[in-house]
Amino acid sequence: MAIDARKDPETAPGALARIAKQLDINPETLRNWVRRVEDGQAATPGIETVSDIERIRLLEKEVRELRRANEILKTASAFFAAELDRPHR
C-alpha cells in the first residue's frame, strides 16, 4: 500500500504521512518499515510487506474488540443466571 502510493506520481507527495495517519502510527516508523521492505530486510521474520503489518494491526484491533465483547457477555450471563436463581414472588 505505502510502497505503491509512493510509486504513483499523483499520490507520491505526502503518501507516507497520509498512510501513517490512517494507520495511527508515527510517519517515521512507517518510513523505516517501507525502507526495510524495499531493501528486503523486513524486521520480523514472516512479515515481509507493509500490507502484512497493516493486516496484523487490524487483527490485533479485532482481537481487542472481541475480548471486550466476551467480557460483556460473561457479565450479562452472570447477571441473568443470578436472576434465574432468585425466588419469584
Side-chain angles (χ1 to χ4, degrees):
M1 177 179 181
I3 295 171
D4 296 334
R6 283 186 18 180
K7 290 179 182 176
D8 183 353
E10 291 183 23
T11 60
L16 290 179
R18 282 192 313 276
I19 293 168
K21 184 176 181 180
Q22 290 172 356
L23 296 174
D24 194 28
I25 60 174
N26 185 305
E28 194 57 36
T29 300
L30 180 59
R31 193 170 287 111
N32 288 334
W33 289 345
V34 169
R35 257 190 235 122
R36 286 182 187 147
V37 170
E38 288 175 339
D39 293 344
Q41 302 171 353
T44 306
I47 299 177
E48 299 179 7
T49 65
V50 174
S51 63
D52 289 342
I53 296 166
E54 292 170 22
R55 183 169 178 266
I56 290 169
R57 180 174 170 76
L58 291 174
L59 289 171
E60 287 173 342
K61 180 180 179 183
E62 184 178 355
V63 167
R64 283 191 303 273
E65 291 171 359
L66 290 171
R67 285 183 177 157
R68 182 173 176 265
N70 197 28
E71 287 302 315
I72 291 169
L73 290 172
K74 284 180 185 178
T75 303
S77 176
F79 172 79
F80 288 117
E83 285 293 313
L84 291 174
D85 288 341
R86 188 177 306 167
H88 296 285
R89 295 182 189 186

